[in-house]
Amino acid sequence: MTEQRTDKTGAPVSIALDQNRAISAYTVSVDEALAGRADFVDPPQTAGERVFFHTEVGAEFGGRGLAGLLVREALADSIHRNLTVVPVCPLFASHLKKHGDEYEAEGGKFRRPRPADLALVKETVENAGNA
């Protein structure tokens, strides 16, 4: 998945799915420079779910709407893949709080995080740091 979009300045940006690293992410690039990422983990014990736990855009790319593009593209891809989104990341949680009805109307599914989701995120981050 690689989608071409434009940011608030009109500059072209690319959003891609990167599952080749210790922590999977949707990434956003500007002029081929990595600008940000939305990290997630797919729970091995629960098929069909994706836990988004951290979104970050570099300060030098701030104010261009890249985090919002990342969230919207990640959610659209989750609909396409028929995944239930678990928003641990405050940015994803806030977006779904405001636009959850629209997301569900488009075919999306989401649920509140549970303690097991938080434990999985902690374990994933710790294991990635030791890799």
Side-chain angles (χ1 to χ4, degrees):
M1 174 208 142
T2 301
E3 295 291 327
Q4 290 291 324
R5 299 284 186 251
T6 57
D7 67 11
K8 287 181 179 179
T9 70
V13 300
S14 298
I15 298 175
L17 177 59
D18 179 358
Q19 292 182 290
N20 297 321
R21 298 181 188 201
I23 295 177
S24 298
Y26 288 88
T27 61
V28 61
S29 299
V30 178
D31 294 327
E32 298 184 26
L34 181 63
R37 55 188 290 122
D39 296 333
F40 67 86
V41 61
D42 293 334
Q45 72 280 12
T46 311
E49 292 191 347
R50 181 156 286 170
V51 180
F52 288 94
F53 63 90
H54 180 73
T55 303
E56 185 172 354
V57 171
E60 66 273 26
F61 297 100
R64 298 171 71 163
L66 299 177
L69 283 172
L70 264 175
V71 169
R72 289 188 300 277
E73 288 299 322
L75 292 175
D77 193 48
S78 296
I79 290 171
H80 175 76
R81 295 172 187 272
N82 197 32
L83 297 170
T84 298
V85 169
V86 182
V88 172
C89 170
L91 191 61
F92 276 81
S94 174
H95 182 86
L96 288 169
K97 184 175 183 178
K98 291 178 190 171
H99 305 287
D101 290 343
E102 295 167 40
Y103 181 66
E104 289 178 324
E106 293 169 2
K109 299 173 284 191
F110 67 100
R111 67 166 178 78
R112 289 178 173 256
R114 301 178 186 135
D117 301 315
L118 302 177
L120 175 62
V121 167
K122 182 179 180 196
E123 178 184 334
T124 300
V125 171
E126 288 174 353
N127 287 343
N130 295 328

Short mmCIF file of all heavy atoms in Angstrom, two decimals, residues 46-109:
data_model
loop_
_atom_site.label_atom_id
_atom_site.label_comp_id
_atom_site.label_asym_id
_atom_site.label_seq_id
_atom_site.Cartn_x
_atom_site.Cartn_y
_atom_site.Cartn_z
N THR A 46 -5.54 -12.53 18.64
CA THR A 46 -6.85 -12.03 18.20
C THR A 46 -6.76 -11.61 16.74
O THR A 46 -6.35 -10.49 16.45
CB THR A 46 -7.30 -10.83 19.07
OG1 THR A 46 -7.15 -11.15 20.44
CG2 THR A 46 -8.74 -10.46 18.78
N ALA A 47 -7.14 -12.49 15.86
CA ALA A 47 -7.10 -12.17 14.43
C ALA A 47 -8.09 -11.05 14.12
O ALA A 47 -9.15 -10.94 14.74
CB ALA A 47 -7.44 -13.41 13.61
N GLY A 48 -7.70 -10.21 13.17
CA GLY A 48 -8.62 -9.18 12.71
C GLY A 48 -8.62 -7.91 13.52
O GLY A 48 -9.54 -7.11 13.40
N GLU A 49 -7.60 -7.70 14.37
CA GLU A 49 -7.52 -6.46 15.14
C GLU A 49 -6.17 -5.80 14.90
O GLU A 49 -5.17 -6.47 14.62
CB GLU A 49 -7.69 -6.72 16.64
CG GLU A 49 -9.08 -7.16 17.00
CD GLU A 49 -9.34 -7.17 18.49
OE1 GLU A 49 -8.39 -7.09 19.30
OE2 GLU A 49 -10.51 -7.27 18.86
N ARG A 50 -6.15 -4.49 15.01
CA ARG A 50 -4.92 -3.71 14.87
C ARG A 50 -4.91 -2.67 15.99
O ARG A 50 -5.82 -1.85 16.08
CB ARG A 50 -4.87 -3.07 13.49
CG ARG A 50 -3.60 -2.26 13.26
CD ARG A 50 -3.28 -2.13 11.80
NE ARG A 50 -2.76 -3.41 11.31
CZ ARG A 50 -2.57 -3.68 10.03
NH1 ARG A 50 -2.84 -2.77 9.11
NH2 ARG A 50 -2.10 -4.86 9.65
N VAL A 51 -3.87 -2.71 16.82
CA VAL A 51 -3.73 -1.80 17.96
C VAL A 51 -2.77 -0.68 17.57
O VAL A 51 -1.58 -0.91 17.41
CB VAL A 51 -3.21 -2.55 19.20
CG1 VAL A 51 -3.08 -1.58 20.38
CG2 VAL A 51 -4.12 -3.72 19.56
N PHE A 52 -3.30 0.54 17.41
CA PHE A 52 -2.48 1.70 17.12
C PHE A 52 -2.06 2.31 18.45
O PHE A 52 -2.91 2.64 19.28
CB PHE A 52 -3.25 2.73 16.30
CG PHE A 52 -3.46 2.28 14.87
CD1 PHE A 52 -4.62 1.62 14.50
CD2 PHE A 52 -2.48 2.51 13.92
CE1 PHE A 52 -4.81 1.20 13.20
CE2 PHE A 52 -2.66 2.08 12.61
CZ PHE A 52 -3.82 1.43 12.25
N PHE A 53 -0.73 2.47 18.64
CA PHE A 53 -0.29 2.91 19.96
C PHE A 53 0.61 4.14 19.97
O PHE A 53 0.85 4.71 21.03
CB PHE A 53 0.39 1.77 20.72
CG PHE A 53 1.65 1.23 20.09
CD1 PHE A 53 2.89 1.76 20.41
CD2 PHE A 53 1.58 0.17 19.20
CE1 PHE A 53 4.04 1.25 19.85
CE2 PHE A 53 2.74 -0.35 18.64
CZ PHE A 53 3.98 0.20 18.96
N HIS A 54 1.10 4.59 18.84
CA HIS A 54 1.95 5.79 18.85
C HIS A 54 1.98 6.41 17.46
O HIS A 54 2.17 5.71 16.46
CB HIS A 54 3.37 5.42 19.27
CG HIS A 54 4.31 6.58 19.31
ND1 HIS A 54 4.26 7.54 20.29
CD2 HIS A 54 5.32 6.95 18.48
CE1 HIS A 54 5.20 8.45 20.08
NE2 HIS A 54 5.86 8.11 18.98
N THR A 55 1.79 7.73 17.41
CA THR A 55 1.90 8.46 16.15
C THR A 55 2.83 9.64 16.39
O THR A 55 2.70 10.34 17.39
CB THR A 55 0.52 8.96 15.68
OG1 THR A 55 -0.36 7.84 15.55
CG2 THR A 55 0.61 9.68 14.35
N GLU A 56 3.75 9.84 15.46
CA GLU A 56 4.72 10.91 15.61
C GLU A 56 5.10 11.47 14.24
O GLU A 56 5.29 10.71 13.30
CB GLU A 56 5.97 10.37 16.30
CG GLU A 56 7.01 11.39 16.63
CD GLU A 56 8.13 10.84 17.48
OE1 GLU A 56 8.05 9.67 17.92
OE2 GLU A 56 9.09 11.57 17.70
N VAL A 57 5.19 12.79 14.18
CA VAL A 57 5.66 13.48 12.97
C VAL A 57 6.82 14.36 13.42
O VAL A 57 6.73 15.04 14.45
CB VAL A 57 4.53 14.32 12.33
CG1 VAL A 57 5.07 15.20 11.21
CG2 VAL A 57 3.43 13.41 11.80
N GLY A 58 7.91 14.37 12.65
CA GLY A 58 9.07 15.17 12.98
C GLY A 58 8.72 16.65 13.09
O GLY A 58 7.90 17.17 12.31
N ALA A 59 9.35 17.33 14.04
CA ALA A 59 9.06 18.75 14.29
C ALA A 59 9.24 19.61 13.03
O ALA A 59 8.48 20.56 12.81
CB ALA A 59 9.95 19.27 15.42
N GLU A 60 10.21 19.26 12.21
CA GLU A 60 10.46 20.04 11.00
C GLU A 60 9.33 19.92 9.98
O GLU A 60 9.25 20.69 9.03
CB GLU A 60 11.81 19.67 10.36
CG GLU A 60 11.89 18.27 9.82
CD GLU A 60 12.31 17.20 10.84
OE1 GLU A 60 12.10 17.39 12.06
OE2 GLU A 60 12.83 16.17 10.40
N PHE A 61 8.43 18.95 10.18
CA PHE A 61 7.29 18.76 9.29
C PHE A 61 5.97 19.17 9.95
O PHE A 61 4.89 18.91 9.41
CB PHE A 61 7.20 17.29 8.85
CG PHE A 61 8.39 16.82 8.07
CD1 PHE A 61 9.39 16.08 8.67
CD2 PHE A 61 8.51 17.12 6.72
CE1 PHE A 61 10.49 15.64 7.95
CE2 PHE A 61 9.61 16.69 5.99
CZ PHE A 61 10.61 15.95 6.61
N GLY A 62 6.04 19.80 11.10
CA GLY A 62 4.84 20.17 11.86
C GLY A 62 3.98 21.20 11.12
O GLY A 62 4.47 21.98 10.30
N GLY A 63 2.69 21.18 11.43
CA GLY A 63 1.75 22.15 10.89
C GLY A 63 1.32 21.89 9.46
O GLY A 63 0.61 22.70 8.87
N ARG A 64 1.69 20.74 8.93
CA ARG A 64 1.35 20.44 7.53
C ARG A 64 0.22 19.44 7.40
O ARG A 64 -0.16 19.04 6.31
CB ARG A 64 2.59 19.91 6.81
CG ARG A 64 3.70 20.96 6.77
CD ARG A 64 5.00 20.43 6.27
NE ARG A 64 4.95 20.14 4.85
CZ ARG A 64 6.03 19.97 4.10
NH1 ARG A 64 7.23 20.09 4.62
NH2 ARG A 64 5.91 19.69 2.82
N GLY A 65 -0.34 19.01 8.55
CA GLY A 65 -1.46 18.07 8.52
C GLY A 65 -1.07 16.63 8.28
O GLY A 65 -1.92 15.80 7.95
N LEU A 66 0.21 16.31 8.46
CA LEU A 66 0.67 14.95 8.16
C LEU A 66 0.14 13.91 9.14
O LEU A 66 -0.18 12.79 8.73
CB LEU A 66 2.20 14.92 8.13
CG LEU A 66 2.85 15.81 7.06
CD1 LEU A 66 4.36 15.75 7.16
CD2 LEU A 66 2.38 15.42 5.67
N ALA A 67 0.02 14.26 10.41
CA ALA A 67 -0.51 13.30 11.39
C ALA A 67 -1.96 12.94 11.04
O ALA A 67 -2.34 11.77 11.10
CB ALA A 67 -0.41 13.86 12.80
N GLY A 68 -2.73 13.93 10.67
CA GLY A 68 -4.12 13.67 10.28
C GLY A 68 -4.20 12.79 9.04
O GLY A 68 -5.05 11.89 8.96
N LEU A 69 -3.32 13.04 8.07
CA LEU A 69 -3.28 12.18 6.88
C LEU A 69 -2.95 10.74 7.26
O LEU A 69 -3.58 9.81 6.75
CB LEU A 69 -2.23 12.69 5.88
CG LEU A 69 -2.60 13.89 5.03
CD1 LEU A 69 -1.39 14.38 4.24
CD2 LEU A 69 -3.74 13.56 4.09
N LEU A 70 -1.98 10.58 8.14
CA LEU A 70 -1.61 9.24 8.60
C LEU A 70 -2.79 8.53 9.23
O LEU A 70 -3.08 7.37 8.92
CB LEU A 70 -0.48 9.33 9.63
CG LEU A 70 0.94 9.17 9.17
CD1 LEU A 70 1.91 9.42 10.32
CD2 LEU A 70 1.18 7.82 8.56
N VAL A 71 -3.46 9.20 10.14
CA VAL A 71 -4.60 8.59 10.84
C VAL A 71 -5.69 8.20 9.84
O VAL A 71 -6.18 7.06 9.86
CB VAL A 71 -5.16 9.54 11.93
CG1 VAL A 71 -6.50 9.04 12.46
CG2 VAL A 71 -4.16 9.71 13.06
N ARG A 72 -6.06 9.12 8.98
CA ARG A 72 -7.14 8.83 8.02
C ARG A 72 -6.78 7.69 7.08
O ARG A 72 -7.61 6.82 6.80
CB ARG A 72 -7.52 10.10 7.26
CG ARG A 72 -8.26 11.11 8.13
CD ARG A 72 -8.82 12.28 7.35
NE ARG A 72 -7.81 13.05 6.64
CZ ARG A 72 -7.07 14.01 7.19
NH1 ARG A 72 -7.23 14.32 8.46
NH2 ARG A 72 -6.19 14.67 6.45
N GLU A 73 -5.55 7.66 6.58
CA GLU A 73 -5.14 6.59 5.67
C GLU A 73 -5.06 5.24 6.40
O GLU A 73 -5.45 4.21 5.86
CB GLU A 73 -3.80 6.91 5.02
CG GLU A 73 -3.90 8.00 3.97
CD GLU A 73 -4.81 7.66 2.81
OE1 GLU A 73 -4.82 6.49 2.36
OE2 GLU A 73 -5.53 8.55 2.35
N ALA A 74 -4.54 5.25 7.63
CA ALA A 74 -4.47 4.01 8.40
C ALA A 74 -5.87 3.46 8.69
O ALA A 74 -6.11 2.25 8.59
CB ALA A 74 -3.72 4.24 9.71
N LEU A 75 -6.80 4.36 9.01
CA LEU A 75 -8.17 3.91 9.26
C LEU A 75 -8.84 3.42 7.99
O LEU A 75 -9.55 2.40 8.00
CB LEU A 75 -8.98 5.05 9.90
CG LEU A 75 -8.56 5.42 11.32
CD1 LEU A 75 -9.35 6.63 11.81
CD2 LEU A 75 -8.74 4.25 12.28
N ALA A 76 -8.61 4.10 6.87
CA ALA A 76 -9.18 3.64 5.60
C ALA A 76 -8.64 2.27 5.22
O ALA A 76 -9.39 1.40 4.76
CB ALA A 76 -8.88 4.66 4.50
N ASP A 77 -7.34 2.06 5.44
CA ASP A 77 -6.75 0.76 5.13
C ASP A 77 -7.29 -0.31 6.07
O ASP A 77 -7.47 -1.46 5.67
CB ASP A 77 -5.22 0.83 5.20
CG ASP A 77 -4.57 -0.39 4.59
OD1 ASP A 77 -4.95 -0.78 3.47
OD2 ASP A 77 -3.67 -0.96 5.24
N SER A 78 -7.56 0.06 7.31
CA SER A 78 -8.14 -0.90 8.26
C SER A 78 -9.53 -1.34 7.82
O SER A 78 -9.88 -2.52 7.95
CB SER A 78 -8.18 -0.28 9.67
OG SER A 78 -6.87 -0.03 10.14
N ILE A 79 -10.30 -0.42 7.26
CA ILE A 79 -11.61 -0.78 6.71
C ILE A 79 -11.39 -1.76 5.55
O ILE A 79 -12.04 -2.81 5.48
CB ILE A 79 -12.39 0.46 6.23
CG1 ILE A 79 -12.82 1.31 7.41
CG2 ILE A 79 -13.60 0.05 5.39
CD1 ILE A 79 -13.41 2.66 7.02
N HIS A 80 -10.47 -1.40 4.65
CA HIS A 80 -10.19 -2.23 3.47
C HIS A 80 -9.78 -3.65 3.88
O HIS A 80 -10.15 -4.63 3.23
CB HIS A 80 -9.09 -1.57 2.64
CG HIS A 80 -8.65 -2.38 1.48
ND1 HIS A 80 -9.39 -2.51 0.32
CD2 HIS A 80 -7.54 -3.14 1.29
CE1 HIS A 80 -8.76 -3.29 -0.52
NE2 HIS A 80 -7.63 -3.69 0.04
N ARG A 81 -9.03 -3.78 4.96
CA ARG A 81 -8.54 -5.07 5.43
C ARG A 81 -9.50 -5.75 6.42
O ARG A 81 -9.20 -6.81 6.95
CB ARG A 81 -7.17 -4.92 6.08
CG ARG A 81 -6.11 -4.47 5.11
CD ARG A 81 -4.81 -4.13 5.82
NE ARG A 81 -3.84 -3.55 4.93
CZ ARG A 81 -2.96 -4.23 4.22
NH1 ARG A 81 -2.92 -5.55 4.32
NH2 ARG A 81 -2.11 -3.62 3.42
N ASN A 82 -10.64 -5.10 6.68
CA ASN A 82 -11.66 -5.62 7.60
C ASN A 82 -11.10 -5.84 9.00
O ASN A 82 -11.34 -6.88 9.63
CB ASN A 82 -12.29 -6.90 7.05
CG ASN A 82 -13.59 -7.24 7.74
OD1 ASN A 82 -14.33 -6.35 8.16
ND2 ASN A 82 -13.88 -8.52 7.88
N LEU A 83 -10.33 -4.86 9.50
CA LEU A 83 -9.73 -4.94 10.81
C LEU A 83 -10.49 -4.09 11.83
O LEU A 83 -10.98 -3.02 11.48
CB LEU A 83 -8.28 -4.45 10.76
CG LEU A 83 -7.33 -5.24 9.89
CD1 LEU A 83 -6.01 -4.50 9.74
CD2 LEU A 83 -7.10 -6.62 10.49
N THR A 84 -10.55 -4.57 13.04
CA THR A 84 -11.09 -3.78 14.14
C THR A 84 -9.93 -2.97 14.72
O THR A 84 -8.89 -3.52 15.08
CB THR A 84 -11.69 -4.68 15.23
OG1 THR A 84 -12.79 -5.40 14.65
CG2 THR A 84 -12.18 -3.86 16.41
N VAL A 85 -10.10 -1.66 14.80
CA VAL A 85 -9.08 -0.76 15.31
C VAL A 85 -9.21 -0.63 16.82
O VAL A 85 -10.31 -0.48 17.35
CB VAL A 85 -9.21 0.62 14.64
CG1 VAL A 85 -8.35 1.67 15.33
CG2 VAL A 85 -8.87 0.52 13.16
N VAL A 86 -8.06 -0.69 17.49
CA VAL A 86 -8.00 -0.49 18.94
C VAL A 86 -7.11 0.74 19.15
O VAL A 86 -5.89 0.67 19.01
CB VAL A 86 -7.42 -1.72 19.66
CG1 VAL A 86 -7.42 -1.49 21.17
CG2 VAL A 86 -8.21 -2.97 19.30
N PRO A 87 -7.72 1.90 19.49
CA PRO A 87 -6.96 3.14 19.57
C PRO A 87 -6.33 3.39 20.94
O PRO A 87 -6.91 4.04 21.80
CB PRO A 87 -8.02 4.20 19.26
CG PRO A 87 -9.29 3.62 19.79
CD PRO A 87 -9.16 2.13 19.59
N VAL A 88 -5.10 2.90 21.12
CA VAL A 88 -4.34 3.21 22.33
C VAL A 88 -3.71 4.59 22.18
O VAL A 88 -3.64 5.37 23.13
CB VAL A 88 -3.28 2.13 22.60
CG1 VAL A 88 -2.34 2.53 23.74
CG2 VAL A 88 -3.95 0.79 22.91
N CYS A 89 -3.26 4.92 20.97
CA CYS A 89 -2.68 6.22 20.67
C CYS A 89 -3.72 7.33 20.88
O CYS A 89 -4.84 7.23 20.36
CB CYS A 89 -2.21 6.24 19.22
SG CYS A 89 -1.72 7.86 18.60
N PRO A 90 -3.38 8.38 21.63
CA PRO A 90 -4.33 9.46 21.87
C PRO A 90 -4.85 10.13 20.60
O PRO A 90 -6.00 10.55 20.55
CB PRO A 90 -3.55 10.46 22.73
CG PRO A 90 -2.47 9.67 23.36
CD PRO A 90 -2.13 8.58 22.38
N LEU A 91 -4.02 10.21 19.56
CA LEU A 91 -4.46 10.83 18.31
C LEU A 91 -5.55 9.99 17.64
O LEU A 91 -6.56 10.53 17.17
CB LEU A 91 -3.26 11.01 17.38
CG LEU A 91 -3.50 11.86 16.15
CD1 LEU A 91 -3.90 13.28 16.52
CD2 LEU A 91 -2.24 11.89 15.29
N PHE A 92 -5.36 8.68 17.60
CA PHE A 92 -6.38 7.80 17.02
C PHE A 92 -7.65 7.83 17.88
O PHE A 92 -8.76 7.88 17.36
CB PHE A 92 -5.86 6.37 16.89
CG PHE A 92 -5.08 6.13 15.64
CD1 PHE A 92 -3.74 6.51 15.57
CD2 PHE A 92 -5.66 5.53 14.54
CE1 PHE A 92 -3.01 6.30 14.41
CE2 PHE A 92 -4.93 5.32 13.37
CZ PHE A 92 -3.59 5.70 13.31
N ALA A 93 -7.48 7.80 19.21
CA ALA A 93 -8.64 7.83 20.11
C ALA A 93 -9.44 9.11 19.93
O ALA A 93 -10.67 9.08 19.86
CB ALA A 93 -8.18 7.67 21.56
N SER A 94 -8.75 10.24 19.84
CA SER A 94 -9.43 11.52 19.66
C SER A 94 -10.16 11.58 18.32
O SER A 94 -11.31 12.03 18.25
CB SER A 94 -8.40 12.65 19.74
OG SER A 94 -8.99 13.89 19.44
N HIS A 95 -9.51 11.10 17.27
CA HIS A 95 -10.15 11.10 15.96
C HIS A 95 -11.42 10.24 15.97
O HIS A 95 -12.46 10.67 15.46
CB HIS A 95 -9.18 10.58 14.89
CG HIS A 95 -9.76 10.59 13.52
ND1 HIS A 95 -9.71 11.70 12.70
CD2 HIS A 95 -10.43 9.64 12.83
CE1 HIS A 95 -10.33 11.44 11.57
NE2 HIS A 95 -10.77 10.18 11.61
N LEU A 96 -11.34 9.06 16.57
CA LEU A 96 -12.51 8.18 16.59
C LEU A 96 -13.59 8.70 17.54
O LEU A 96 -14.78 8.46 17.30
CB LEU A 96 -12.09 6.76 16.95
CG LEU A 96 -11.33 6.05 15.82
CD1 LEU A 96 -10.70 4.76 16.31
CD2 LEU A 96 -12.24 5.80 14.62
N LYS A 97 -13.21 9.42 18.57
CA LYS A 97 -14.21 10.03 19.45
C LYS A 97 -15.03 11.06 18.67
O LYS A 97 -16.25 11.13 18.81
CB LYS A 97 -13.54 10.67 20.66
CG LYS A 97 -14.51 11.22 21.66
CD LYS A 97 -13.81 11.73 22.90
CE LYS A 97 -14.84 12.21 23.92
NZ LYS A 97 -14.20 12.67 25.15
N LYS A 98 -14.34 11.83 17.83
CA LYS A 98 -15.01 12.88 17.04
C LYS A 98 -15.72 12.32 15.81
O LYS A 98 -16.76 12.81 15.42
CB LYS A 98 -13.99 13.93 16.58
CG LYS A 98 -13.43 14.76 17.68
CD LYS A 98 -12.41 15.74 17.12
CE LYS A 98 -11.65 16.42 18.23
NZ LYS A 98 -10.50 17.20 17.72
N HIS A 99 -15.10 11.32 15.17
CA HIS A 99 -15.59 10.86 13.86
C HIS A 99 -15.95 9.38 13.84
O HIS A 99 -16.07 8.79 12.76
CB HIS A 99 -14.51 11.12 12.79
CG HIS A 99 -14.06 12.54 12.72
ND1 HIS A 99 -14.84 13.55 12.19
CD2 HIS A 99 -12.91 13.12 13.13
CE1 HIS A 99 -14.19 14.69 12.26
NE2 HIS A 99 -13.02 14.46 12.84
N GLY A 100 -16.15 8.78 15.01
CA GLY A 100 -16.44 7.35 15.09
C GLY A 100 -17.69 6.94 14.34
O GLY A 100 -17.71 5.89 13.69
N ASP A 101 -18.74 7.76 14.42
CA ASP A 101 -19.98 7.41 13.71
C ASP A 101 -19.75 7.37 12.20
O ASP A 101 -20.24 6.47 11.51
CB ASP A 101 -21.10 8.40 14.05
CG ASP A 101 -21.59 8.27 15.48
OD1 ASP A 101 -21.33 7.22 16.12
OD2 ASP A 101 -22.23 9.22 15.97
N GLU A 102 -19.00 8.34 11.69
CA GLU A 102 -18.68 8.37 10.26
C GLU A 102 -17.84 7.15 9.88
O GLU A 102 -18.07 6.53 8.84
CB GLU A 102 -17.90 9.64 9.90
CG GLU A 102 -18.66 10.92 10.08
CD GLU A 102 -17.73 12.13 10.03
OE1 GLU A 102 -16.80 12.15 9.18
OE2 GLU A 102 -17.93 13.05 10.83
N TYR A 103 -16.87 6.84 10.73
CA TYR A 103 -15.98 5.70 10.47
C TYR A 103 -16.80 4.41 10.40
O TYR A 103 -16.61 3.60 9.48
CB TYR A 103 -14.90 5.63 11.55
CG TYR A 103 -13.92 4.51 11.36
CD1 TYR A 103 -13.05 4.50 10.28
CD2 TYR A 103 -13.84 3.47 12.27
CE1 TYR A 103 -12.13 3.48 10.10
CE2 TYR A 103 -12.91 2.44 12.10
CZ TYR A 103 -12.07 2.46 11.02
OH TYR A 103 -11.17 1.44 10.85
N GLU A 104 -17.70 4.23 11.34
CA GLU A 104 -18.55 3.03 11.32
C GLU A 104 -19.48 3.02 10.12
O GLU A 104 -19.71 1.98 9.52
CB GLU A 104 -19.33 2.92 12.62
CG GLU A 104 -18.44 2.57 13.80
CD GLU A 104 -19.17 2.48 15.13
OE1 GLU A 104 -20.12 3.28 15.36
OE2 GLU A 104 -18.80 1.61 15.93
N ALA A 105 -19.99 4.19 9.73
CA ALA A 105 -20.87 4.27 8.57
C ALA A 105 -20.13 3.87 7.29
O ALA A 105 -20.74 3.35 6.34
CB ALA A 105 -21.44 5.68 8.43
N GLU A 106 -18.79 4.08 7.27
CA GLU A 106 -17.98 3.70 6.12
C GLU A 106 -17.57 2.24 6.16
O GLU A 106 -16.87 1.76 5.29
CB GLU A 106 -16.73 4.59 6.06
CG GLU A 106 -17.04 6.03 5.77
CD GLU A 106 -15.83 6.94 5.97
OE1 GLU A 106 -14.73 6.44 6.30
OE2 GLU A 106 -15.99 8.15 5.79
N GLY A 107 -17.99 1.52 7.21
CA GLY A 107 -17.67 0.11 7.33
C GLY A 107 -16.60 -0.21 8.34
O GLY A 107 -16.20 -1.36 8.49
N GLY A 108 -16.09 0.81 9.05
CA GLY A 108 -15.04 0.61 10.03
C GLY A 108 -15.56 0.06 11.35
O GLY A 108 -16.73 0.22 11.69
N LYS A 109 -14.65 -0.59 12.07
CA LYS A 109 -14.97 -1.13 13.39
C LYS A 109 -13.86 -0.72 14.34
O LYS A 109 -12.69 -0.72 13.97
CB LYS A 109 -15.05 -2.66 13.35
CG LYS A 109 -16.11 -3.21 12.41
CD LYS A 109 -16.01 -4.71 12.31
CE LYS A 109 -14.81 -5.01 11.43
NZ LYS A 109 -14.65 -6.36 10.99
#
